[in-house]
Amino acid sequence: RWVLMIGDVSGSGPAAAALTAQVRHGARVAARAGLDPPSVVAAVNATLDETTGSEWFCTMVYAELVPHDDGIDLQVICAGHVAPLLVAGGTVEELECQAPLLGVLPGAEYAARRLRLAPGHALVMVTDGATEARALEGHGADSFFGEARLQQVVAGAAGRDAEGLVDAVAEAVLTFAGGQLDDDLALVALRAVPAPQKRAQ
């Protein structure tokens, strides 16, 4: 099994970097101990609640994946983060997997959304550096890149591989913002590909 994480912490500077490291290390230790995704995320939440003040919090998408010959089994938890986009059968939709953000609600419970990515399907995850990117000019009230525009871009690149999906989103966000972003932009894409054909002996 493998784990993918993408997230965003409150604040900036050394304190935010330390919080990021704490979340990453805590999740890695819990996952290596064999905990299931809800328990991993709950452990990270408990640690943040115990060690940080109320002004510090974190959003995260935590995804555990197990590859098979006919796809990838996923358990996904979206803890207050921008919803992942599921690309399947020519459609793009937000994955329903919302849960409380981390470090705010002691004892919060986290349920994982289970699904299988069939060959050709993909999951796209971004930080709010994408959805909250601001246009320099020319968009009026529509000044944020937004989730609807994100879905449109992903739909237009739905046939690309994982790297192509990331490139398409990054290019669209940077073009919209005139190359100037107010926040960090992080992107992760996962695409299931057909298993290699075994050669007959």
Side-chain angles (χ1 to χ4, degrees), residues 42 45-46 49-50 100-110:
N45 181 61
D49 179 63
E50 293 167 1
L101 53 77
L102 304 174
V104 174
L105 296 175
E109 297 183 356
Y110 297 88

Side-chain angles (χ1 to χ4, degrees), residues 4 65 72 85 87 117 119-126 153-154 157-171 186-194:
L4 292 176
L65 59 106
I72 300 172
L85 296 180
V87 183
L117 290 185
H121 294 180
L123 197 68
V124 179
M125 296 166 279
V126 306
V153 172
V154 172
R160 300 189 188 183
D161 61 11
E163 183 177 1
L165 285 166
V166 167
D167 288 345
V169 174
E171 181 180 354
L187 310 166
V188 176
L190 171 70
R191 183 179 286 283
V193 297

Side-chain angles (χ1 to χ4, degrees), residues 31-52:
R32 284 181 173 271
L35 299 183
D36 63 7
S39 299
V40 171
V41 178
V44 173
N45 181 61
T47 299
L48 292 185
D49 179 63
E50 293 167 1
T51 60
T52 63

Side-chain angles (χ1 to χ4, degrees), residues 21 55 113:
E55 73 277 9
R113 167 73 184 274

Side-chain angles (χ1 to χ4, degrees), residues 2-6 60-66 71-78 81-98 112-127 150-151 154-155 157-167 169 186-193:
W2 298 81
V3 166
L4 292 176
M5 293 191 303
I6 186 171
M60 178 171 68
V61 175
Y62 183 92
E64 180 184 283
L65 59 106
V66 179
I72 300 172
D73 283 341
L74 284 172
Q75 293 188 61
V76 184
I77 298 172
C78 184
H81 196 77
V82 179
L85 296 180
L86 176 64
V87 183
T91 64
V92 178
E93 61 182 21
E94 289 187 355
L95 188 67
E96 293 291 337
C97 55
Q98 289 295 338
R113 167 73 184 274
R114 293 175 178 265
L115 69 153
R116 170 164 287 195
L117 290 185
H121 294 180
L123 197 68
V124 179
M125 296 166 279
V126 306
T127 58
L150 175 64
Q151 288 192 38
V154 172
R160 300 189 188 183
D161 61 11
E163 183 177 1
L165 285 166
V166 167
D167 288 345
V169 174
L187 310 166
V188 176
L190 171 70
R191 183 179 286 283
V193 297

